[in-house]
Amino acid sequence: MKMKKAALVFILLFILILVTSCGGESNNAQKGANKMDKLPVVLDQAEYILFQNIFYNEQGSQYAGKSVTKNGIFGRLVDAYDGRVRYYVWGYLDNTKCCDWQWEFDPADKDQLPPPGSLIQVKGTFVQDNNAMDDYWIAGATVTTETEYTGPQPDVNMSAMSDTLELVQIYSIIMFPDAFEGKSFSAYGRVRSGEILEDPYYDGSWTIGYSVDQEIPAFGTIVTLDGNIKNGTLAAASIANRD
């Protein structure tokens, strides 16, 4: 499952763009929120069906202008193509975790956003906007932190992204390596070889080079890597089986 802007990125593989910033919003969760040190899982079949209808069955105009409330996991994506940071509330269809949904939102107060991986509630108006990655987002969004994630927070936290969002982030790293050089990361995927990581669920979706100075799990194992981005690849300081 691929977002429309990701397809555009593929087409523009050799076009250069100047990116001046990867964003620097602070991550201040609301006081009094519960805390957790393990990434949550949110399952919602209704949200998945709605997401499919809006973005793949072209029903977005039927929902534009309506007030919405979304509950899910907070994700922060560095979009080097447009030179901005994008914010999402997301979850899975079911426990297979191979099918997901994600709603982009434009926060009313970026300084009050929690760390990626936190459980949030987003309220706002669903609108058509060309600034949104897929032409629709939740505008004027107020964000309530229900449970704050207290785990590690690298610069690019793909471990706190859905598979679809990670696909977009991976291609941004590959396409615009200078924008990410030296930044810390966390990512997950399948071990394709001793040098290649691939989409955890789908063959042919994405691959990226990685390196790590420790024993590599068996090929096909879904793992989490942590380290720093180097020349558009993942220079990992650690690799471990993903829970």
Side-chain angles (χ1 to χ4, degrees):
M1 180 168 58
K2 301 178 181 179
M3 302 174 80
K4 291 183 288 184
K5 184 59 70 64
L8 178 60
V9 170
F10 303 159
I11 297 172
L12 299 176
L13 183 59
F14 298 106
I15 295 178
L16 298 178
I17 187 171
L18 177 63
V19 179
T20 59
S21 173
C22 285
E25 292 80 4
S26 58
N27 287 322
N28 299 320
Q30 284 92 339
K31 294 181 179 179
N34 296 323
K35 299 181 185 297
M36 61 182 172
D37 59 7
K38 185 176 181 179
L39 285 166
V41 175
V42 173
L43 309 179
D44 196 318
Q45 184 181 43
E47 288 293 343
Y48 177 78
I49 293 172
L50 181 61
F51 178 81
Q52 291 289 311
N53 285 337
I54 287 177
F55 291 106
Y56 294 93
N57 296 327
E58 300 183 354
Q59 296 179 12
S61 61
Q62 299 179 25
Y63 298 90
K66 294 184 177 181
S67 297
V68 296
T69 299
K70 304 294 182 182
N71 295 279
I73 306 166
F74 175 51
R76 179 182 181 275
L77 187 150
V78 181
D79 177 7
Y81 179 86
D82 284 329
R84 64 183 300 159
V85 176
R86 297 186 179 277
Y87 307 97
Y88 291 87
V89 54
W90 66 273
Y92 300 104
L93 167 64
D94 54 34
N95 273 316
T96 64
K97 301 181 182 178
C98 61
C99 296
D100 48 53
W101 49 267
Q102 43 274 309
W103 303 104
E104 185 176 3
F105 64 90
D106 186 26
D109 187 352
K110 296 178 181 178
D111 290 335
Q112 293 301 314
L113 294 174
S118 299
L119 288 173
I120 60 173
Q121 181 180 86
V122 177
K123 292 184 177 182
T125 305
F126 189 73
V127 300
Q128 192 280 329
D129 194 316
N130 292 335
N131 290 315
M133 179 168 285
D134 287 310
D135 297 328
Y136 290 94
W137 63 11
I138 301 170
T142 58
V143 178
T144 301
T145 303
E146 297 180 337
T147 306
E148 179 185 351
Y149 176 60
T150 61
Q153 288 296 336
D155 298 323
V156 183
N157 193 350
M158 289 175 278
S159 289
M161 295 181 187
S162 67
D163 184 50
T164 299
L165 293 178
E166 186 179 36
L167 177 151
V168 179
Q169 189 67 85
I170 287 289
Y171 272 95
S172 195
I173 291 170
I174 294 171
M175 290 291 300
F176 308 102
D178 290 347
F180 297 93
E181 185 66 20
K183 293 189 177 297
S184 59
F185 79 88
S186 180
Y188 65 103
R190 277 181 298 167
V191 176
R192 179 168 176 173
S193 71
E195 299 177 344
I196 299 295
L197 188 74
E198 66 179 348
D199 188 296
Y201 308 113
Y202 298 104
D203 294 336
S205 173
W206 59 261
T207 62
I208 191 170
Y210 77 96
S211 59
V212 63
D213 188 21
Q214 68 181 74
E215 184 178 353
I216 298 170
F219 296 171
T221 303
I222 298 179
V223 297
T224 298
L225 290 85
D226 298 276
N228 293 87
I229 299 168
K230 183 177 180 180
N231 297 326
T233 67
L234 306 180
S238 66
I239 184 171
N241 289 7
R242 183 172 174 86
D243 294 336

